Amino acid sequence: MKLCIAEKPSVARDIAKVLGATMPKQGYMEGNGYCVTWTFGHLCTLKEPHDYGPQFKSWNLFSLPIIPNSFGIKLIPNKGVENQFKVIERLVEECDEVINCGDAGQEGELIQRWVLQKAKCNKPIQRLWISSLTEDAIKEGFASLKPAEDYKNLYLAGNARAIGDWLLGINATRLFTKKFGGNKAVLSIGRVQTPTLAMLVQRQKEIDAFTTEEYWELKTKYRDVIFNAAIDRLKTLERAEKGLEYLKVNPFEIVSFEIKEGKEKNPRLFDLTGLQVEANKKYGYSAENTLNYIQSLYEKKHVTYPRVDTTYLSESLYPKIEGILQKMHPYQDLIAPLLEAPIPKSKAVFDDAKVTDHHAIIPTEVPPSQNLSREEKLIYDLIAKRFIAVFYPECKISNTLVEGKVGTIPFKTSGRQILEPGWRAVYAKEPKEESTDKEKEKEEEQTIPEFIVGETGPHDPMIHQGKTTPPKPYTEATLLRAMETAGKQVEDDELRELLKNNGIGRPSTRANIIETLFKRKYIEKKRKNLIATQTGIQLIDTIEDELLKSPELTGEWELKLRKIEKGEYEANLFKEELIQMVTELTDKVVYGKGKVITLQEEEKEEVKEKKKREPAQKKELQSWEETKCPKCKEHNLIKGKTAVGCSDFKNCGFKITFEIFGKKLSDKQLLDLVLKGKTSKLKGFSTHPEAIAEGVLTLSDDFQTQLS
């Protein structure tokens, strides 16, 4: 028997269907020589300090640093996790071969390896590595399984990352909490979290220290075109008025007139960070929400694997592009012109050298269904249009540069005109993005007539008064870009691609880092802007060690982790470097000066060991497959396309549809109904026979749903 282990029940069902393992069992599916089981994301975690000895239970400054001789793993203490692990452990014992069907990334590899390690697996292990969950992709993946050994370095990098985060997170958090927390709250320090906060604090200080100054500029209008004086801004109104008087008594003369034709490159395909940036700019979605929406689209088979950091496709995908485009029915008006000729095979799109484990995010051949949420539809639309746009011609533009003078004062203006829209035609019907500098945009868009060098004439001079503006606060979009480039301001796509190896965090973890800063009350959101709180600012000010808060130095650690993944750096060496750093940091802080940080909210919180909780795990803990049927109380539930029902439905007959009285229920609301017999108060019911629009759903004695 071959045992397949997927990362979550929904993915296990997709794999089981393709393999013909259609018989539901307790915690797995069986059939056709296969057993298909699942984890719920993390089943295992690194042991906590108190697991290495009772002396580490309480937080003591002088017991630091805590450095285990060897790092152990343990099951996450949860009944559902323990039950599912027993199923996996038994199946590992009984099978002939294990197929690791975990999420095809570093974190997915780590999750599965820890589980197999905990289950003492000594059976041969194969690896399923796929970029989408469509039936064809799963079949292709099983036809070309790889030896687990091929992914050993990926596991070593994931393990080194987890150990590094433990060493720094556990020790530095206890260290700073005991030294500076005043027994009021935990001061959380993290390998990626702290330099990210440091960037926000640095920007906040620049904004707070900024002094607004007034300035004056000379402008003039000649033949209905606004020209700007090509001189430094004037610091006083008096100087501006003197300049204006000078302009009034001299004619305007054209010095040069030049039209240059150019091209605007096509936008790049999305990696995860690029998608999160675009969704934040366009729709205000947080990085975490965008990750959830794209993950859902991936699991529904509409897009390829999302947790990627490349904007390129592998060359082997080229033959499939036309087929994917043909299946994207809602976009046929935009796709039709592309299909009239062979799809271009540009190096800006297809480049094997720029693709590692996965390619950029693109649609699959499974078109979007009607039951997507509004947010999922908008995210799919971003991906679909970007995918179409990369195959359109470049946008041809005309740049007009005009220089003039009034007496000895030089003037200039420029205009820009689109000659052939090319890829911009894909976005023609979309509202134009609001510019941050409307004055400049207005001048760039002005129509410039034909000028002749040497021509002169009357003009209408004026003074423009302005104010200097402080640096802009970070938004999630600009913070994600800053994390990607370790704090460097980079607009150029090519350069940004080169800096990704030194970025802080990984595409899949950055959203969680930002959310952690919110939860710790180190940052807050004002409209779209991210603002460092007093607690956040004081925490960064307290940290003297540059290693802890420097994006560049943290980026160097990230580069080493990537090298471990490629087999170019030793995981043990990375661990030893962090141990040395943590030891030096501990000595410096323990024997340094102490002060108490003022908290954003003065809440007394006992400093105690906190159990680590993974956001993904929280959602997965109670799956339908481990939930008993409330009616027969013998069999477990199973999730279908339109309803959740008893796995022994023929005899029991229990089921609850996802949509009740015109309202689609979330998994949590359905679980409440099954486990508690009722939901919280809900709104949005549209088809109730008595026109009830809001209320509590309950399960009656005969297990029918009713609204009251």
Side-chain angles (χ1 to χ4, degrees):
M1 177 262 284
K2 293 183 180 182
L3 173 63
C4 303
I5 310 177
E7 195 174 318
K8 54 171 63 179
S10 59
V11 177
R13 279 196 298 275
D14 290 334
I15 290 170
K17 186 180 172 187
V18 171
L19 295 176
T22 53
M23 193 182 298
K25 298 280 186 176
Q26 187 72 39
Y28 65 102
M29 310 283 282
E30 188 176 14
N32 201 27
Y34 289 94
C35 282
V36 183
T37 188
W38 53 82
T39 60
F40 313 123
H42 288 264
L43 285 196
C44 294
T45 185
L46 287 173
K47 285 181 177 177
E48 293 172 80
H50 61 262
D51 295 315
Y52 295 104
Q55 70 273 27
F56 298 128
K57 181 89 175 170
S58 59
W59 290 31
N60 184 335
L61 207 54
F62 297 99
S63 68
L64 299 176
I66 303 165
I67 299 168
N69 292 327
S70 63
F71 283 82
I73 54 168
K74 66 174 186 177
L75 281 181
I76 287 171
N78 172 277
K79 195 68 183 162
V81 165
E82 289 161 11
N83 289 340
Q84 186 61 18
F85 178 74
K86 282 175 187 168
V87 171
I88 295 170
E89 197 174 30
R90 177 175 62 80
L91 292 172
V92 164
E93 180 65 33
E94 293 171 0
C95 74
D96 303 310
E97 178 185 298
V98 173
I99 301 171
N100 176 355
C101 305
D103 193 34
Q106 191 186 96
E107 194 70 3
E109 189 69 20
L110 183 66
I111 286 168
Q112 300 290 71
R113 293 252 188 167
W114 275 355
V115 168
L116 290 169
Q117 193 178 315
K118 187 75 182 160
K120 297 182 172 60
C121 176
N122 57 6
K123 305 292 170 68
I125 304 171
Q126 299 264 70
R127 185 55 158 114
L128 173 72
W129 195 269
I130 51 179
S131 285
S132 84
L133 292 173
T134 63
E135 196 172 316
D136 285 349
I138 292 170
K139 282 179 180 172
E140 283 176 27
F142 271 94
S144 55
L145 292 170
K146 306 282 195 306
E149 192 61 25
D150 290 6
Y151 298 91
K152 185 183 175 185
N153 289 332
L154 189 67
Y155 160 68
L156 290 174
N159 199 52
R161 178 184 296 276
I163 288 172
D165 288 344
W166 191 101
L167 278 168
L168 197 59
I170 294 285
N171 286 296
T173 296
R174 288 186 174 204
L175 185 63
F176 279 80
T177 297
K178 292 303 289 178
K179 187 77 174 181
F180 307 111
N183 287 327
K184 289 179 182 174
V186 173
L187 296 177
S188 174
I189 307 284
R191 190 178 57 84
V192 180
Q193 171 193 315
T194 304
T196 303
L197 176 60
M199 288 194 290
L200 286 156
V201 168
Q202 176 64 27
R203 179 64 55 87
Q204 191 64 40
K205 287 184 172 181
E206 288 167 6
I207 294 167
D208 292 343
F210 187 84
T211 306
T212 299
E213 294 175 358
E214 291 187 327
Y215 64 85
W216 290 265
E217 293 175 314
L218 296 174
K219 298 188 178 214
T220 193
K221 187 188 274 190
Y222 174 68
R223 287 177 59 187
D224 290 328
V225 174
I226 301 287
F227 285 79
N228 299 303
I231 57 174
D232 290 340
R233 289 170 168 175
L234 304 171
K235 298 291 174 68
T236 65
L237 178 58
E238 187 185 5
R239 287 194 65 195
E241 285 175 339
K242 277 185 184 174
L244 184 65
E245 291 308 312
Y246 178 81
L247 295 179
K248 283 179 177 175
V249 297
N250 287 286
F252 188 92
E253 181 185 343
I254 295 292
V255 175
S256 77
F257 177 72
E258 187 181 11
I259 297 176
K260 280 185 178 177
E261 287 195 8
K263 289 177 179 177
E264 256 189 6
K265 286 182 180 177
N266 300 51
R268 290 195 177 279
L269 289 168
F270 283 124
D271 57 9
L272 178 59
T273 303
L275 181 65
Q276 287 169 320
V277 166
E278 191 71 8
N280 183 257
K281 278 161 55 177
K282 207 160 188 179
Y283 305 122
Y285 295 163
S286 70
E288 185 176 50
N289 283 343
T290 299
L291 179 56
N292 290 337
Y293 302 144
I294 186 69
Q295 182 68 23
S296 175
L297 286 168
Y298 168 65
E299 287 172 22
K300 290 173 181 173
K301 310 177 182 58
H302 302 311
V303 299
T304 57
Y305 185 72
R307 294 160 191 261
V308 298
D309 60 357
T310 181
T311 57
Y312 293 86
L313 299 179
S314 49
E315 290 160 37
S316 61
L317 266 177
Y318 176 73
K320 296 181 179 180
I321 299 300
E322 190 174 326
I324 294 169
L325 288 166
Q326 284 170 343
K327 292 281 174 66
M328 294 168 66
H329 306 304
Y331 300 90
Q332 285 311 305
D333 288 353
L334 296 172
I335 289 165
L338 287 179
L339 299 179
E340 288 171 2
I343 301 296
K345 193 177 182 182
S346 157
K347 201 75 175 164
V349 179
F350 300 94
D351 189 344
D352 283 349
K354 305 280 176 69
V355 177
T356 49
D357 299 330
H358 293 282
H359 54 71
I361 306 168
I362 61 171
T364 66
E365 62 273 21
V366 179
S369 54
Q370 290 303 308
N371 65 350
L372 296 184
S373 68
R374 177 179 177 274
E375 292 81 7
E376 288 170 350
K377 283 174 184 170
L378 290 173
I379 295 295
Y380 181 85
D381 187 65
L382 287 178
I383 295 162
K385 283 184 176 164
R386 186 64 66 93
F387 180 60
I388 295 164
V390 298
F391 300 115
Y392 264 67
E394 290 178 317
C395 169
K396 289 186 180 174
I397 54 171
S398 159
N399 287 316
T400 306
L401 305 167
V402 190
E403 291 178 3
K405 66 177 182 176
V406 178
T408 58
I409 299 178
F411 281 82
K412 64 181 180 182
T413 193
S414 62
R416 188 172 166 281
Q417 191 183 355
I418 292 177
L419 303 175
E420 291 176 25
W423 62 265
R424 284 194 171 275
V426 175
Y427 301 98
K429 292 178 183 175
E430 295 197 1
K432 197 172 179 187
E433 277 185 36
E434 275 192 40
S435 172
T436 49
D437 190 343
K438 293 188 177 177
E439 188 79 24
K440 186 181 176 188
E441 185 185 48
K442 189 177 173 186
E443 287 176 13
E444 275 187 356
E445 286 183 351
Q446 59 187 341
T447 304
I448 298 179
E450 189 85 20
F451 288 110
I452 297 164
V453 174
E455 71 170 84
T456 62
H459 60 109
D460 184 14
M462 65 195 88
I463 295 171
H464 168 74
Q465 183 182 355
K467 286 181 181 178
T468 56
T469 55
K472 289 183 173 61
Y474 279 112
T475 62
E476 285 210 28
T478 55
L479 181 61
L480 283 165
R481 284 298 189 209
M483 291 172 81
E484 187 181 51
T485 55
K488 295 182 177 69
Q489 299 299 310
V490 181
E491 294 299 322
D492 183 73
D493 282 337
E494 298 281 351
L495 183 54
R496 194 158 57 222
E497 201 72 30
L498 292 173
L499 288 171
K500 279 181 181 179
N501 282 345
N502 288 66
I504 60 175
R506 286 178 74 84
S508 55
T509 61
R510 288 177 191 140
N512 187 245
I513 294 293
I514 296 170
E515 289 303 312
T516 299
L517 293 174
F518 279 122
K519 285 173 193 163
R520 300 284 184 200
K521 295 190 168 55
Y522 297 158
I523 64 171
E524 58 191 12
K525 191 178 279 188
K526 290 184 180 173
R527 294 194 181 90
K528 270 191 175 185
N529 297 332
L530 305 181
I531 311 293
T533 64
Q534 254 337 94
T535 309
I537 292 169
Q538 285 188 45
L539 179 57
I540 293 302
D541 286 348
T542 304
I543 299 169
E544 292 177 0
D545 199 299
E546 276 304 306
L547 268 172
L548 272 184
K549 56 185 181 179
S550 163
E552 290 86 355
L553 293 171
T554 306
E556 287 176 21
W557 292 344
E558 206 66 45
L559 183 61
K560 286 174 181 175
L561 285 165
R562 287 171 186 270
K563 284 184 172 179
I564 293 169
E565 202 171 298
K566 293 175 186 170
E568 297 167 3
Y569 202 78
E570 282 294 323
N572 278 335
L573 189 54
F574 179 77
K575 187 175 93 172
E576 290 305 318
E577 287 171 359
L578 272 175
I579 288 172
Q580 185 183 342
M581 182 208 150
V582 165
T583 305
E584 288 170 3
L585 175 72
T586 303
D587 290 344
K588 196 186 294 182
V589 174
V590 168
Y591 300 107
K593 286 182 182 176
K595 66 175 181 181
V596 175
I597 290 177
T598 311
L599 298 169
Q600 181 73 358
E601 287 183 10
E602 293 288 344
E603 291 177 345
K604 281 214 166 188
E605 193 177 299
E606 223 177 288
V607 177
K608 52 188 173 185
E609 188 69 52
K610 287 193 168 186
K611 288 174 185 174
K612 289 182 184 177
R613 287 182 299 197
E614 297 286 339
Q617 168 219 330
K618 191 177 174 185
K619 290 172 189 171
E620 290 291 347
L621 281 182
Q622 182 79 17
S623 78
W624 294 113
E625 285 77 4
E626 59 170 346
T627 305
K628 278 272 185 280
C629 171
K631 189 176 178 184
C632 68
K633 295 185 173 57
E634 288 180 20
H635 298 277
N636 283 22
L637 297 178
I638 195 162
K639 189 177 181 182
K641 287 184 179 176
T642 58
V644 171
C646 182
S647 55
D648 187 31
F649 180 74
K650 283 183 183 176
N651 297 314
C652 172
F654 175 75
K655 77 168 180 178
I656 300 179
T657 56
F658 299 157
E659 191 175 294
I660 299 174
F661 301 129
K663 177 177 175 62
K664 191 171 181 187
L665 300 187
S666 67
D667 272 8
K668 185 185 181 310
Q669 289 160 349
L670 284 166
L671 266 172
D672 281 350
L673 195 52
V674 170
L675 297 174
K676 299 175 185 174
K678 65 176 184 177
T679 66
S680 55
K681 193 171 184 182
L682 305 174
K683 293 181 179 180
F685 297 101
S686 56
T687 61
H688 193 275
E690 294 170 27
I692 300 173
E694 61 181 82
V696 175
L697 280 172
T698 56
L699 272 182
S700 66
D701 292 341
D702 59 349
F703 297 96
Q704 299 302 308
T705 49
Q706 51 195 29
L707 180 61
S708 56

